[in-house]
Amino acid sequence: MLDLGTQDIQLGAQAADKAAAIRVTGDGLVRTGHIQAGYVDSMLGREEVANTFLGNGVAIPHGLPKDRELIRQTGIFVAQFPGGVEWNPGEIVHLTVGIAARSDEHIEILKNLTHLLDDAQLMARLAKTEDAEEIVRALRREPVEQPQGSPTDQLAGFEKGVEAELQGGIGLHARPATFFVNVAKKFESEIRVAYVDHVAKATAEHEAPARAAGAGLELAAPGIPGIAASPGVAIGPLARLHAARIVVEATAKDPEHETERLRQAIEHVRIEVRELYDDVKAWSGEGKASIFKAHEEFLDDPDLLEQADALIRQGHSAGWAWREAVKEQAAALAQMSDPLLRERAADLGDVGQQVLRLLAESIEEAPEL
C-alpha cells in the first residue's frame, strides 16, 4: 500500500465548482512531489470524457493515460471540502481522492474507498473532521471510533424489518445492489441496511455484504454444477459450442480509415446494446436489464479506445487493435483480487466480441455434438 500520511490530506478546502476542486487536488499532488504541474490540466481533461464521481460524497479525479509521463511517482492526495462541491447535477462531493498512478500501489486505497461508499455516517464525519489522521485511518481501513452508537441505536425507531441470507460468500453483486438502491429511492420512507456492526442507508450507492454465506447449490451425482440462466428444468442431449474464430488482418495501410471503422463499429454496437436494455427492461424490469448498462460503460471507456487508437497508429487494423486492447484490459480485470471486479472481465469480453464481429474479415463457428 502507498505510504499515506497527513501530509497527503488537505482539510477545510474551498472551491466554487468542480474545476476549481480538481485544481486544488492536483496542486496537492504537485506539492507532494507526485506529478508535474501539467498533469493538473490532464485531470481536468479526463473529467470531460469520464465521470469520476463515485458516490456518497467521494470523487476520484485523475489524468488521461496519454499524460502518464507527467507522473513522477504513484500517489494520492485527498482534499476535504466541508461546504461541498457540486460535481454533477444533484451530486455533491466532500472528499476528492486525486490519483497519480504509475504502478498499482494505489489499488488498495481504491478498494478501501468502497468502505466509505457503504458508510454514510462515517463519510459525514470525514466531511467535517478537523483531524487529518482520521481520514488516513479510514482510507487504510484502520479502526475509527464511532461515537454515534451501536447498530441497535442506529436502528431505533425502525419497527419493521426483514432478514435476508445471501449465498455465495461475496455479498450482493453490484448490479442487484444498484437495483435495490433504485427501488429504495422510490419510497419516501427511510430504509436502512444492517450487517453485523455496520449500518447504512439503503439509498446510498453501495454493495450490500452477505448476511451469511450459504451452502450453495448441491446436485446429486451424476451432475454438472452450474449457474442458472433462467428458471425451470431442461432435459436433452448436451452440445458443446466452440468459441467463434474471428479472423482479422494484422496490419492496415490507412490509419484514418481504420479509426473510422472502429468508431462506426462501436456506435453500431452501442445502438444494439441500448435496444437490448430497453427490451429487457420492458420484459423483466430494470434490474435484469442493468447488465447492458455495464456493457455500454465499456464502450465509453476512454482508456480502451485510446489503447486501440495507439495500435492503429502503429499500422495495425481496427479489428486487430481492438482485439488486443480488449484482451489486455480483460486480463487486468481477471487478475484483480476483488471477485466482483474479476467478473467484469467477462462483461468486457462479451461486448468486445460484439464489436470485433463487425470488424472481422471472416467468422468461423460451428457447434460440436
Side-chain angles (χ1 to χ4, degrees), residues 1-10 25 28-29 32 34 73-79 95-100 105-113 116 126 131-142:
M1 182 186 290
L2 292 174
D3 184 19
L4 180 67
T6 55
Q7 72 278 359
D8 302 305
I9 312 293
Q10 180 175 347
T25 310
L29 286 169
T32 50
H34 293 108
Q73 60 179 345
T74 298
I76 69 170
F77 186 86
V78 181
L95 285 186
T96 58
V97 182
I99 300 171
E105 296 171 273
H106 66 298
I107 296 299
E108 191 69 23
I109 295 292
L110 291 182
K111 288 173 59 178
N112 292 346
L113 279 175
L116 298 185
L126 298 182
D131 182 4
E133 187 63 39
E134 189 172 18
I135 295 177
V136 172
R137 290 195 299 270
L139 290 177
R140 286 184 170 276
R141 291 300 302 272
E142 295 174 358

Side-chain angles (χ1 to χ4, degrees), residues 124-247:
R125 286 183 59 198
L126 298 182
K128 303 292 186 180
T129 185
E130 297 180 357
D131 182 4
E133 187 63 39
E134 189 172 18
I135 295 177
V136 172
R137 290 195 299 270
L139 290 177
R140 286 184 170 276
R141 291 300 302 272
E142 295 174 358
V144 177
E145 294 182 4
Q146 298 288 346
Q148 69 272 18
S150 67
T152 301
D153 296 332
Q154 297 175 51
L155 294 176
F158 287 76
E159 298 179 357
K160 298 183 181 296
V162 62
E163 288 194 2
E165 179 177 307
L166 302 180
Q167 297 185 353
I170 61 172
L172 191 61
H173 192 282
R175 287 192 289 271
T178 300
F179 177 70
F180 171 71
V181 168
N182 289 335
V183 171
K185 287 179 178 178
K186 296 178 181 179
F187 294 87
E188 295 183 1
S189 304
E190 182 176 344
I191 304 171
R192 295 185 182 178
V193 180
Y195 169 64
V196 189
D197 60 350
H198 182 80
V199 178
K201 290 185 178 180
T203 51
E205 297 293 342
H206 66 280
E207 295 172 1
R211 174 70 172 81
L217 179 64
E218 296 182 358
L219 298 177
I224 303 175
I227 301 174
S230 62
V233 176
I235 300 175
L238 180 66
R240 178 183 179 185
L241 181 64
H242 286 286
R245 181 174 180 266
I246 300 179
V247 180

